[in-house]
Amino acid sequence: MTPNIQAETSKPICVSDSFHFSSFYWRESNASLAGLNSSNGNDSSDSDDMKTSRKERGISIDSSEAGSVTMGEGESAVFRPLTVANPDRVKLKFYSKVLGDNSTFIHYGKWDGLDTEQPGAYGRASEAMTDYMFKISMGLLPHRAESSDFRYVDLGSGTGASAIHLTNRHSLQIAQATCVNLCHEQNMEAKGRIDELDLTSKINVVDATFDETPCPSNHYDLAFSQDAFIHAISKEKAYKEAYRITKPGGAFIFCDLVCGNDPDLTVQELATFAEKNRINDWLNPSQIIKTCVDAGWLDVRFTDLSTDLRISFQLMLKKVTFVLEHGDTGSSSSRVLLMNYRDNICRRITQIERGVFLWGVFQARKPVFMDLAVKPPVEFVKTNHLIVDTDVKDKENVVVVDILKKMDKETVEALPKTVELIITMSAGLDHIDLDACEARGIAVKNSGRDAVTSHVVQYCLSFIIIGLRNALNQLSLPFPSKGWNLNWNCEGKPLTSSTIAVIGLGHIAKGLIEEIRKIAPDARIIYNTRTREVDFESKHNLHYVSDVKELAAECDVLVPMCALTKQTEHLINKEVIAHLKPEAGIINMSRGKVVDTAALQEALEHKAIKYAILDTTFPEPLPKEHPLWSLDNCFIFPHYATNTMAVREALVSEIEPIIADHYGLSHSDERCKAEEKVLRYDLAVAHRLTAKYGMDMLVWNHISARYRAGCLITPGRKMWGLMNPEDLVYSSSNITADVIHDAVYSARPDIKAIIHLHTPAATAISCLEEGFQPITQDGAYFYGKVANYDWDGLSDDASEGPAIAAAIKAVKGCNTLLMHNHGFVCFGPSVRHAWVLAYYFEKCCEIQLRVMRSGGKFRRPNKAVMQKAADDSYLPEFDPGVCEWDALSEEIIFD
């Protein structure tokens, strides 16, 4: 919608929304529609230069595809909006008067579930469109949906209404929103509202065109635009600029009016339409998709929303007709203007029906560029087309190395600024300067981690058992031909009665401890690590020893499994080795330099310890003449723990999943499908259980589970006892459900599932002045965790959301919202948790009502006892749903 002004206009401000309707004047001194004065009230109100034919201006018509109008080669004259003084306030005032809507949203709207007869419907539909687009964006960027540092740019932001709305609604997620807009007056309007709402720390407004912004490269998670690119002189230039400023793996989403592609339309008709409406680069959807791809974007898709556009125009027509029939239009010229305005809207509706133009949403992803800096041990097979191989310097985002590729400080600092991730095909990280990577903001990840872990764990466990049994010294030892008895060669010790000392508690060390516990539950395991892990310690019956020397003194086998750092170099030194018992051994599965080689050699030569099994040494390889080779109690292996083709294949095959997870490129892969399948199953079970236990209300109420940027939710119009997994929908047609669930999710990012019910007992309790009273053991689940919300009528107004969110935030650890004279909401980290809470809440309400009916005086439990019960109720083994859900699920059978 491009505002224009005639040069000779002084006091009156002329605004032309050349796509919606004709030019009109608005006198600032007059706040009624009578202040409108007609300029030229029809589609032929173009200035002389506008009437010049496109052919004369060097604009060619591409007939290769119906509906394409492109700029001719070497063209200098293009359609440009004329300078306007303060146009948007004028336009907003006009919309406000005609629509009776004080909303600052003037974009076209998404009308799902909205009543056009409701006051403010146009503004609410515009907000709904913004939300719809943001949900699509978060569906593309699921790994960023719960972040707290999300950055996005709104290109062609107008008065900043969308940015303000999204930043308010997703305040915990959006850290920075940048509004890029050419019109200074609109930007001043935006800044005023941003200041008023105290959002200046989050929203930045920039005076610039959206095809040449001052924004840094690779900066934003999302490039976003609503109904703005129609004004671009060059679509390709605009899309390339969006590409430049978006992060690798980031998303691009925009809605826009585009050229129709109906084969019955003539090229001339489409060209004339573009010229009359000052549209450059008038492209149809397939051409826009191609232009986006040419700009670098991948996975470009178009969703046609022209039906919603038609509703927007129909509502505008209805409002204008009402003003003409019942309102004060002022002068006869103003009435003529509004009549022309009405006629133009009718014309637009007809053009939508004929397919002259379309309206919809385009979405795309920016690819991630990967540099294989070393040759992989097996062929690298790439299946994700959003990951692109490159050896072009200053383009790569991911660098893949192995243990032989030394990434010291100088090498890391010399990497291109575009590099954000290093993947190493190794278990260790000592060949990478992690401090330098952190200073550069580069993440470092290992590929093949699970395969490496399982191999090292199995390998190490076998050495522990062999070492304890003194088995390596039995190699080539013949079985005695005579004199054998039951006491022959019985010096070994079983794992079950041994003390194993582990240094470090990383992924591999934990895996080793878990495997030991499987086969030797009575073995004593002691450990030392920089950060003590009490939960893991308790689960696996470990004993923490803070001093490494004491740890060595107590063990039968010492197993260092820590990373090599400055702090762990020579951690196993002469003093530590001296504390080992003579019958104890060392098995080094970390890095050679963790053990002081000279001190170890001395201890072995003097038989101060029984043996050493070394899979790594320092130096590595150990020189042939080194004394350790000749010692009969030292067993050296060639860094062999992971030497299988299975590990080599895993090192390579996991490169792509790591990149996909890091950049959120795997939202449609099998893992996400499996996650959705589980959620759908649990939700369907929850619906059927609600019906089975008499807690449903025909087709009403709703259960949801957070999924990607939105949620899976009750579809409505289906009996809960018949609910199937495939019935759950991504968006509810029930505005009450949207208001309540959106409010809870926005208030508590940790919440993953919500259930809202109108059960008899809980609803009765909601009508009591004193509300819910936790007076039983089962009530401990809700002790100090129930928030109250006063009924404000049918929850069909989005403005109610902040009040619901505030009520929940006011109660620390809230898990239930009692909505007075209405019903209740339970929520938690999973569907099972939320449903079981709802079941117990209804039961507690039933008991409270029975006690009240008895006429006796309440006997309230001691507060300290109740608090202890409340704390114990959320221990891992008693958490809602842990004990009940599997048994409950067995009651439900799907056809």
Side-chain angles (χ1 to χ4, degrees), residues 165-441:
H165 172 72
L166 290 176
T167 304
N168 270 324
R169 184 157 193 171
H170 304 279
S171 60
L172 297 178
Q173 177 187 2
I174 296 176
Q176 179 192 4
T178 300
C179 294
V180 175
N181 195 51
L182 179 60
C183 178
H184 180 71
E185 284 75 16
Q186 286 183 329
N187 292 344
M188 292 304 294
E189 174 86 6
K191 287 179 180 179
R193 295 191 62 237
I194 290 166
D195 288 341
E196 181 183 331
L197 296 170
D198 195 25
L199 292 173
T200 52
S201 62
K202 286 199 168 189
I203 305 178
N204 182 36
V205 180
V206 178
D207 286 19
T209 63
F210 44 62
D211 55 5
E212 193 172 348
T213 76
C215 302
S217 300
N218 305 308
H219 186 69
Y220 297 101
D221 296 282
L222 171 67
F224 182 97
S225 182
Q226 281 185 265
D227 306 322
F229 290 137
I230 189 175
H231 306 311
I233 294 172
S234 167
K235 297 288 196 303
E236 183 176 7
K237 189 176 180 182
Y239 302 159
K240 281 184 176 179
E241 181 66 1
Y243 181 91
R244 180 186 70 81
I245 64 180
T246 302
K247 289 180 179 179
F252 181 32
I253 185 163
F254 62 95
C255 65
D256 220 346
L257 295 156
V258 298
C259 184
N261 52 12
D262 191 305
D264 293 335
L265 299 169
T266 66
V267 172
Q268 187 57 48
E269 180 179 8
L270 295 172
T272 301
F273 179 88
E275 182 174 349
K276 282 184 175 293
N277 293 284
R278 294 198 170 203
I279 303 171
N280 300 286
D281 223 3
W282 187 227
L283 306 178
N284 64 33
S286 61
Q287 291 172 313
I288 287 180
I289 289 172
K290 182 180 183 302
T291 305
C292 284
V293 172
D294 290 344
W297 296 101
L298 297 179
D299 270 3
V300 189
R301 301 174 188 176
F302 173 67
T303 303
D304 190 344
L305 299 176
S306 299
T307 300
D308 289 280
L309 179 65
R310 188 176 188 274
I311 295 172
S312 294
F313 276 115
Q314 286 173 329
L315 179 60
M316 183 75 80
L317 176 62
K318 185 174 180 179
K319 296 288 187 178
V320 173
T321 301
F322 180 85
V323 171
L324 284 168
E325 293 178 355
H326 305 286
D328 175 17
T329 60
S331 66
S332 59
S333 59
S334 294
R335 184 171 182 81
V336 170
L337 170 64
L338 287 175
M339 291 172 67
N340 286 329
Y341 176 21
R342 177 198 60 195
D343 294 343
N344 281 339
I345 294 175
C346 290
R347 191 176 297 114
R348 297 293 179 248
I349 293 172
T350 301
Q351 289 166 338
I352 293 172
E353 292 170 346
R354 293 185 58 240
V356 174
F357 59 87
L358 306 172
W359 181 67
V361 173
F362 292 86
Q363 63 187 65
R365 294 294 299 274
K366 185 173 180 177
V368 174
F369 291 91
M370 175 194 69
D371 176 21
L372 281 170
V374 297
K375 184 179 180 179
V378 298
E379 183 184 2
F380 175 73
V381 179
K382 183 174 68 66
T383 61
N384 193 321
H385 64 283
L386 290 173
I387 301 172
V388 180
D389 297 330
T390 185
D391 55 4
V392 179
K393 189 173 176 59
D394 295 333
K395 193 172 184 178
E396 64 265 42
N397 312 121
V398 181
V399 175
V400 180
V401 301
D402 60 20
I403 197 167
L404 298 177
K405 180 74 172 179
K406 301 302 180 185
M407 303 296 290
D408 55 20
K409 182 179 180 180
E410 291 72 21
T411 304
V412 171
E413 289 178 345
L415 290 172
K417 293 181 180 179
T418 53
V419 174
E420 300 177 329
L421 174 64
I422 293 175
I423 298 175
T424 177
M425 295 182 287
S426 65
L429 296 172
D430 47 291
H431 58 299
I432 300 175
D433 190 321
L434 298 179
D435 291 336
C437 289
E438 184 178 2
R440 277 284 311 271

Side-chain angles (χ1 to χ4, degrees), residues 484-735:
W484 180 89
N485 58 57
L486 290 173
N487 293 322
W488 180 79
N489 205 357
C490 293
E491 298 175 0
K493 190 174 183 180
L495 178 61
T496 51
S497 60
S498 300
T499 298
I500 313 300
V502 178
I503 298 178
L505 205 57
H507 200 58
I508 297 175
K510 286 181 176 179
L512 175 65
I513 289 168
E514 288 168 351
E515 290 302 311
I516 292 174
R517 276 287 170 255
K518 288 178 184 177
I519 62 174
D522 297 328
R524 185 168 183 259
I525 304 177
I526 57 179
Y527 81 105
N528 173 277
T529 187
R530 184 172 56 184
T531 304
R532 184 175 181 179
E533 295 194 26
V534 177
D535 290 343
F536 188 83
E537 178 184 317
S538 174
K539 182 178 180 180
H540 296 285
N541 191 22
L542 311 181
H543 300 277
Y544 178 75
V545 181
S546 60
D547 186 270
V548 177
K549 296 187 291 294
E550 292 179 15
L551 186 86
E554 294 184 34
C555 74
D556 296 305
V557 183
L558 180 62
V559 187
M561 283 200 139
C562 51
L564 176 59
T565 65
K566 292 178 181 179
Q567 292 73 33
T568 61
E569 184 175 329
H570 287 182
L571 178 66
I572 311 304
N573 55 26
K574 183 174 183 178
E575 191 176 2
V576 172
I577 294 172
H579 279 75
L580 287 167
K581 295 179 288 188
E583 63 272 21
I586 294 176
I587 300 175
N588 189 12
M589 303 299 295
S590 55
R591 287 286 183 259
K593 217 170 184 180
V594 171
V595 178
D596 184 336
T597 302
L600 177 64
Q601 175 188 329
E602 182 182 352
L604 290 170
E605 287 174 341
H606 291 86
K607 307 297 182 182
I609 61 174
K610 191 170 185 178
Y611 63 89
I613 300 174
L614 309 176
D615 194 53
T616 60
T617 61
F618 183 79
E620 191 173 58
L622 201 65
K624 291 182 179 180
E625 66 277 8
H626 198 283
L628 283 179
W629 287 111
S630 61
L631 297 178
D632 61 3
N633 55 353
C634 183
F635 307 94
I636 303 172
F637 291 82
H639 209 136
Y640 195 67
T642 62
N643 278 33
T644 70
M645 286 308 298
V647 168
R648 300 299 179 262
E649 290 168 358
L651 291 173
V652 177
S653 66
E654 290 184 15
I655 292 172
E656 184 174 295
I658 289 173
I659 297 173
D661 287 344
H662 185 80
Y663 288 100
L665 307 180
S666 55
H667 60 275
S668 60
D669 66 12
E670 292 304 317
R671 281 173 293 178
C672 285
K673 290 178 182 177
E675 177 190 347
E676 181 177 349
K677 184 178 180 180
V678 171
L679 282 178
R680 286 183 174 277
Y681 175 81
D682 281 353
L683 282 168
V685 168
H687 281 85
R688 292 203 177 197
L689 286 172
T690 305
K692 181 181 177 67
Y693 287 91
M695 298 163 61
D696 59 334
M697 196 175 190
L698 300 179
V699 300
W700 304 106
N701 302 159
H702 19 87
I703 311 176
S704 75
R706 195 193 289 266
Y707 181 64
R708 298 183 187 174
C711 64
L712 288 167
I713 195 168
T714 309
R717 296 184 176 87
K718 188 176 181 72
M719 298 298 288
W720 286 31
L722 302 175
M723 197 71 68
N724 291 310
E726 61 271 19
D727 294 327
L728 283 307
V729 296
Y730 292 110
S731 177
S732 174
S733 60
N734 184 330
I735 190 170

